[in-house]
Amino acid sequence: MTTPDQPRRPRRTATRSIAPGDVAALVRVLSALQVHLLSGDLPGSLTTSLTRHLTGAGLLGAGATPAELLIALDDLAGRLRSGGTAPGPSDETRHLVGFATREQADAFTARAARRAGDEVVEPVPAEPGRWVGDVQWQVTVRVLEPPMTPAFDARIAWLHELADAHAGHLGGWEA
């Protein structure tokens, strides 16, 4: 503690940065919230709380819908992934599906590519730290239906069924 006769020690300028692992963890938490919001698993009180906090932070407008909350969570995750740069607007969502083997991923890709309107990216090695369990390969499926609509819900249900048929699982989405 300083007395009136003693000069205050100047504050050091603290340069703190967030560790890449922390950013990755936050993005995974946001992705989990999005998946649970899409599936209807989030309690109403949590959805209300998230909406209130994001509205207070200026990321949502008053009276935001669950679809707007979903997009705000995805936008926030996108800014975290890009180091703060706002991602450009998008009329699509990209869904990631993980698999333990390349064969499972290839079989899923072949079936998913047959569905009209889907763009399916060939399997690539799984992003480190994004997946849990034995996921070694990931496939990206582009979906054009707007989130939280009956058409979107039907498409996601179909992706879940197809992923399950090939021992895969959906691991989140990006706008």
Side-chain angles (χ1 to χ4, degrees), residues 17-63:
S17 62
I18 188 166
D22 293 340
V23 171
L26 288 170
V27 168
R28 285 192 300 273
V29 167
L30 291 169
S31 293
L33 286 170
Q34 292 171 56
V35 167
H36 288 288
L37 182 60
L38 274 171
S39 66
D41 291 341
L42 284 186
S45 60
L46 181 55
T47 301
T48 300
S49 178
L50 289 169
T51 301
R52 186 178 64 251
H53 287 295
L54 293 180
T55 299
L59 300 177
L60 277 175

Side-chain angles (χ1 to χ4, degrees), residues 57-149:
L59 300 177
L60 277 175
T65 65
E68 291 167 327
L69 172 60
L70 187 64
I71 291 167
L73 291 171
D74 189 61
D75 288 347
L76 181 56
R79 285 191 302 280
L80 285 170
R81 278 192 298 273
S82 67
T85 305
S90 176
D91 293 331
E92 65 184 50
T93 55
R94 290 171 305 283
H95 299 263
L96 303 178
V97 187
F99 300 92
T101 69
R102 174 67 190 245
E103 293 76 22
Q104 293 165 332
D106 285 337
F108 170 88
T109 300
R111 290 249 344 255
R114 286 188 223 136
R115 182 162 181 147
D118 283 341
E119 178 183 311
V120 183
V121 177
E122 290 294 316
V124 296
E127 293 175 38
R130 180 171 193 117
W131 299 91
V132 295
D134 60 352
V135 171
Q136 299 296 314
W137 294 91
Q138 69 186 36
V139 176
T140 303
V141 179
R142 188 182 114 207
V143 173
L144 297 177
E145 290 85 3
M148 302 189 87
T149 63

